[in-house]
Amino acid sequence: MTNFYRLLLAGFCCIVSATHAQTTTKLWLDEINIKSFSEGIPAVLGKTNAAGDSMLIDGQYFRHGVGVNATSILALSLDGKATEFSALVGVDDKGNKDLPHTFYVVADRKILFDSGEMRLGDVPKPVNVNLNGVKRLGLLVKVNDEGRTKVYANWANAQLTMLDNYRPQNIPNSDEKYILTPLPPQTPRINSASVFGATPGNPVLYLIAATGERPMTFSAKGLPKGLSLDGKTGIITGNVKQRGAYLATLTATNALGKATKKLTLKIGDTIALTPPIGWNGWNSWARNIDQGKVIASADALVKMGLRDHGWTYINIDDAWQGKRGGKFNGIQPNEKFPTFQKMVDYVHGLGLKVGVYSTPMITSYAGYIGGSSDFKDGHITDAIITNKRAFRYVGKYRFETNDANQLAAWGIDYLKYDWRIEVPSAERMSVALKQSGRDILYSISNSAPFANVKDWARLTNSYRTGPDIRDSWNSLFVSAFTLDKWAPYGGPGHWNDPDMMIVGNVTTGTQLHPTRLTPDEQYSHVSLFSLLSAPMLIGCPIEQLDAFTLNLLTNDEVIEIDQDPLGKSARLVMNENGMQVWLKPLADGSYAVGLFNVGDFGKTPASYFRWGDEKPKSFTFDFIKVGLTGKYRLRDVWRQQNLGNFTRSFKTEIRHHGVVMLRVFSEK
C-alpha cells in the first residue's frame, strides 16, 4: 500500500471516529431519577406538577417535564457529554398567583438563561442553550415563597441532548473526610448533662454517660430521696415528690482513674432543661421502620459508643401506628411491633429513652391512624387509609387524653406531634401529656408559624421552626442559618428545633444514600446545631456510621456547648462578605463562637450550586465588632486544642461552607 493510500485510509478512519463521537440521543429530564438531583426542600416530580397533577402553563398541557415547588435547585454532572438543553418554563396554573418566579440555567458558573420574572398566567418561555463542554449544570427556580405552599412551577418538555447515551450523574461528593477530633482518653470522663428536670412524683430516668476504659463503676452523693443509682450501669431511677433544686456529685471510676461531675436536679414544672439528643428513625428507614430496626438502633447506640457521649433518645417516627384499642382506647402498635412493651422496657434497660410519633389529624403523613376521627370511637377504615391525603385534617372527635395515657402507660419519654401547626391542637395535647403521670418531652412539627412563637414556648418542649430538612446545603441553610429571629424564644424547657441531622446515610425523599453534604458542610451543620442549642437527633442508621461520621458525633466539647445549662441560643452577630459569626454565651461566663464561610449563598444564581473549584477564605475575627473587649484565651473546639491568648482579633482560614468553632475565655 502506498503512503498516499495509507494517509487516505487514516483520514477516513478519523472521520468515522469523529462521526461516532458525535452520536447523540435525546433524554427527557423526567426519564431520570429527578428527585436525586434536587437540592431544594419540597419535592420535585417528573411528568406532573409538584402536586402530582397535570402539568399546565397558561392553559397548555404538557406530558413531559419536571414540576417543582418553591425555590428549586436541580444540580447535574454532565462531564462534558451533553450538547443542548431545551425546555418551556413557566408558573403552573395551580401555582401561586402572587409570587414572581425566575428561571435560570447555569453552566460551569455561567448564566446561560435568565427568564426574568414570570407569574401565573404568563405564556411559557422557551429555553434552548448550548452545553458543549459543560461539566456541571444547574437548573434554578428562584422565588421568595416565605414558607407559603403550592408555589408550583414547571420545566415543561425539559430535554437534554446527550453524547453516546451518557446519562447525567449526581454532583460528586468525594472531598476528603478529614477527622479533627482526637479519641477520648481511657481515663473516665462524664459527658451527660449537668442539669436535669422532672415533675414531682413522676418517674426519673437519667444515665451517667461516661467515656473511658471498661469496666467502670458509678456512685453519687446528694441524690434526693426517692432516687437510686445502679453502680454497674450508671442508671438513676425512681421519683422525687418534694419540689426543689438538688445538687448531686456523680463519680465514674475505672482502673485508670476517677472523674466527678456536679448534677443539678430540678424538681418542678419544667422538663427538657437541655435539648434532647438521640436518634430518629425517619431519615433512616421511613415507612420501613419495625421493632427489629428500633432494637438494633438502640444496641448500635451503645456498641458505637454514642451513649457514652450523652446520646439518649431512640425515637420511632411515623409508621408504627395500628388501630385504636386497649385500656385507654389509645393508638396501638401495628403488626411490625409485635411486643411493643418489651421493646420499650429493653431500651430503658440500656439507660436510653423511647419516643414515638403521632398527629392530631385523622391520618398521618404516611397514612397511618392519627389522633382524631370523624367517628365517635375513633376507628379508621380502609377507605380512609387509601385516600390518606383527603384526611389530613383534625376530625370532629379528638383523642389526646386517650393517647397521652396510653403513652404514659407504656413508658414513652418523647412525643413528636406532626401537622400544620395551630395553637388549639398543640394546647390540647400539651394538657393531656402533663396530666398523664409521666414526663413526656413534647415536640411539635412542622413549620411552626413564627407569629405564635410565644405559644410554642409556653406549650411545648421543642417546636419545628421550618419544613422537613433535606441533605443539601440549601436545606441546611434555610433550616438553621436563618434562625436568628427565633433565638430569644428558645431556652430551658422549650427549644427551637431545625429538624433532624443529615449526616451519615440518609433517605430524604430518595433511597438510602450517603449525605450530599460535603465534609466541610457537615462540620458546619453539627457546629451550628450545637451553637443554636438545638435538639440533635441523628437521622441515619447508627450501625452504618463510618469513622468520619462517628468522630463528628462524639466530640464532647461540641456536645457540651449544645447541652450548656444556660440554654442560650447563639446570635448572628456578623454577616458580611460571605462570612457569618455566631456568638453564644455559656453558663461559665465563656462564649462559644462559630466562624462560618457561607460563600454568599443565595445572593447569585451560581451560589446555589457546588462547582468543585471552591477555595478557602482568609478571615480575621475582630473581637470588638461582636462586642468582645479585652484579652481572650481561644480554644479550637473541633481539634480540642488551645490556640493561645489574643487581644483584638484572631486570623484564620475557613474552608468553603466550612467552620472554625471556638471556645472563648476571658483573660481579664
Side-chain angles (χ1 to χ4, degrees):
M1 184 182 293
T2 66
N3 288 338
F4 172 77
Y5 285 110
R6 287 192 182 95
L7 291 171
L8 184 64
L9 181 60
F12 175 75
C13 290
C14 288
I15 292 170
V16 171
S17 177
T19 302
H20 173 72
Q22 294 302 309
T23 300
T24 60
T25 55
K26 300 286 188 180
L27 177 67
W28 294 111
L29 213 58
D30 53 51
E31 291 177 348
I32 64 176
N33 180 18
I34 196 62
K35 285 185 178 181
S36 72
F37 296 91
S38 173
E39 298 193 359
I41 299 173
V44 300
L45 295 177
K47 294 185 172 67
T48 69
N49 70 10
D53 297 325
S54 298
M55 191 176 295
L56 189 64
I57 306 175
D58 191 34
Q60 182 179 352
Y61 284 95
F62 296 90
R63 295 179 59 192
H64 283 286
V66 175
V68 303
N69 189 355
T71 292
S72 171
I73 304 162
L74 298 173
L76 302 91
S77 175
L78 302 178
D79 197 27
K81 296 178 181 177
T83 63
E84 185 180 50
F85 173 72
S86 61
L88 286 165
V89 299
V91 179
D92 190 87
D93 284 6
K94 293 185 179 179
N96 190 293
K97 63 182 177 60
D98 301 318
L99 298 177
H101 296 60
T102 306
F103 295 77
Y104 297 96
V105 178
V106 190
D108 294 341
R109 291 191 180 275
K110 296 179 181 178
I111 298 175
L112 303 186
F113 174 81
D114 177 347
S115 70
E117 289 191 353
M118 299 187 69
R119 295 179 179 270
L120 191 150
D122 288 352
V123 175
K125 291 186 178 181
V127 183
N128 198 299
V129 296
N130 187 318
L131 298 181
N132 282 313
V134 168
K135 299 292 186 182
R136 298 186 181 186
L137 176 67
L139 304 179
L140 172 67
V141 180
K142 194 172 181 181
V143 55
N144 184 20
D145 61 283
E146 296 181 340
R148 281 181 272 190
T149 59
K150 301 181 180 179
V151 187
Y152 304 141
N154 302 318
W155 295 91
N157 286 348
Q159 191 173 62
L160 287 162
T161 303
M162 309 299 300
L163 295 173
D164 295 332
N165 293 312
Y166 184 82
R167 296 179 76 84
Q169 304 294 312
N170 293 111
I171 301 297
N173 188 7
S174 54
D175 293 355
E176 178 193 0
K177 291 183 174 180
Y178 57 98
I179 289 177
L180 296 180
T181 304
L183 293 175
Q186 289 300 300
T187 52
R189 173 190 162 104
I190 298 176
N191 302 308
S192 42
S194 61
V195 62
F196 182 84
T199 304
N202 283 0
V204 167
L205 175 62
Y206 178 94
L207 174 72
I208 304 175
T211 49
E213 182 183 272
R214 261 47 179 186
M216 187 178 291
T217 59
F218 302 89
S219 61
K221 292 182 180 179
L223 288 179
K225 182 180 179 181
L227 296 185
S228 61
L229 166 67
D230 185 320
K232 293 182 179 180
T233 64
I235 300 173
I236 297 173
T237 55
N239 64 76
V240 183
K241 294 183 171 58
Q242 190 68 37
R243 290 174 175 268
Y246 303 88
L247 183 62
T249 302
L250 310 178
T251 302
T253 306
N254 67 11
L256 301 176
K258 179 186 296 185
T260 62
K261 186 170 188 174
K262 299 293 185 183
L263 170 65
T264 301
L265 288 152
K266 296 185 177 181
I267 307 301
D269 297 323
T270 306
I271 64 171
L273 296 181
T274 59
I277 65 172
W279 174 84
N280 179 286
W282 184 256
N283 284 349
S284 299
W285 307 114
R287 294 170 177 82
N288 295 321
I289 193 71
D290 59 37
Q291 183 169 313
K293 291 184 176 69
V294 173
I295 291 173
S297 299
D299 287 339
L301 200 77
V302 176
K303 183 179 179 181
M304 302 293 277
L306 288 161
R307 180 184 65 170
D308 300 335
H309 295 273
W311 299 89
T312 301
Y313 286 90
I314 296 291
N315 290 347
I316 309 165
D317 210 283
D318 205 350
W320 70 273
Q321 311 94 304
K323 297 181 179 180
R324 290 200 168 275
K327 176 181 177 181
F328 304 102
N329 193 31
I331 297 173
Q332 301 298 303
N334 59 39
E335 66 281 356
K336 295 187 296 179
F337 296 84
T339 54
F340 193 85
Q341 183 68 70
K342 287 184 178 180
M343 177 194 70
V344 173
D345 294 343
Y346 177 80
V347 176
H348 282 164
L350 299 175
L352 303 175
K353 298 185 177 183
V354 182
V356 296
Y357 170 104
S358 191
T359 174
M361 301 185 298
I362 294 174
T363 62
S364 70
Y365 286 104
Y368 292 81
I369 190 171
S372 66
S373 177
D374 286 335
F375 300 104
K376 191 173 183 179
D377 64 355
H379 76 270
I380 194 166
T381 66
D382 291 340
I384 292 174
I385 296 173
T386 302
N387 300 287
K388 61 184 179 182
R389 283 182 175 270
F391 293 91
R392 290 179 181 172
Y393 63 87
V394 178
K396 178 180 178 182
Y397 301 99
R398 298 181 290 270
F399 298 88
E400 292 90 358
T401 299
N402 307 69
D403 292 336
N405 288 338
Q406 179 64 80
L407 298 182
W410 280 327
I412 297 299
D413 305 289
Y414 184 113
L415 172 65
K416 176 180 175 180
Y417 210 45
D418 190 20
W419 82 112
R420 281 291 177 177
I421 300 168
E422 29 78 33
V423 173
S425 292
E427 186 152 23
R428 287 193 301 271
M429 181 53 83
S430 177
V431 171
L433 290 173
K434 288 176 180 176
Q435 294 177 350
S436 70
R438 186 173 182 85
D439 290 343
I440 300 175
L441 192 150
Y442 181 33
S443 172
I444 59 172
S445 176
N446 60 67
S447 298
F450 180 72
N452 300 109
V453 64
K454 292 182 179 179
D455 288 313
W456 317 137
R458 171 177 63 89
L459 296 171
T460 77
N461 302 120
S462 71
Y463 40 90
R464 273 277 300 282
T465 52
D468 290 349
I469 200 168
R470 299 287 184 264
D471 58 315
S472 71
W473 178 255
N474 170 68
S475 183
L476 175 63
F477 194 88
V478 170
S479 296
F481 283 91
T482 59
L483 290 192
D484 186 60
K485 71 177 182 179
W486 293 82
Y489 303 98
H494 47 91
W495 305 103
N496 301 319
D497 178 12
D499 202 8
M500 291 171 279
M501 306 186 77
I502 41 174
V503 299
N505 296 328
V506 295
T507 171
T508 54
T510 59
Q511 64 183 6
L512 199 67
H513 61 276
T515 180
R516 291 177 295 173
L517 293 184
T518 67
D520 296 311
E521 291 168 348
Q522 293 180 65
Y523 276 111
S524 289
H525 173 19
V526 179
S527 298
L528 188 56
F529 272 44
S530 173
L531 289 162
L532 292 172
S533 298
M536 296 203 296
L537 296 174
I538 302 166
C540 62
I542 303 169
E543 61 272 22
Q544 297 179 17
L545 292 177
D546 61 9
F548 169 79
T549 312
L550 184 61
N551 187 263
L552 196 69
L553 296 171
T554 52
N555 183 311
D556 296 310
E557 295 187 23
V558 174
I559 297 170
E560 184 179 39
I561 289 169
D562 178 76
Q563 296 289 292
D564 184 72
L566 186 62
K568 291 280 189 181
S569 174
R571 300 303 305 269
L572 178 60
V573 293
M574 198 202 82
N575 185 14
E576 57 187 46
N577 300 321
M579 307 299 298
Q580 290 191 1
V581 178
W582 291 75
L583 180 71
K584 173 178 181 170
L586 301 174
D588 67 354
S590 67
Y591 296 91
V593 178
L595 312 177
F596 296 90
N597 176 0
V598 299
D600 283 327
F601 179 77
K603 293 185 178 179
T604 67
S607 71
Y608 283 89
F609 302 93
R610 181 158 47 89
W611 304 105
D613 59 359
E614 292 82 1
K615 300 288 190 270
K617 288 179 67 173
S618 179
F619 177 67
T620 299
F621 172 33
D622 187 322
F623 300 164
I624 296 174
K625 272 190 175 182
V626 301
L628 299 178
T629 58
K631 182 184 289 187
Y632 293 91
R633 174 168 56 89
L634 269 54
R635 181 170 174 83
D636 184 318
V637 177
W638 279 110
R639 291 177 174 84
Q640 298 184 350
Q641 292 178 353
N642 291 323
L643 301 176
N645 293 339
F646 299 82
T647 302
R648 293 183 59 87
S649 64
F650 168 72
K651 188 174 182 179
T652 188
E653 188 174 77
I654 309 175
R655 296 163 70 111
H656 181 73
H657 288 179
V659 63
V660 170
M661 191 175 185
L662 304 172
R663 188 83 176 254
V664 178
F665 301 88
S666 176
E667 289 291 304
K668 290 180 181 179

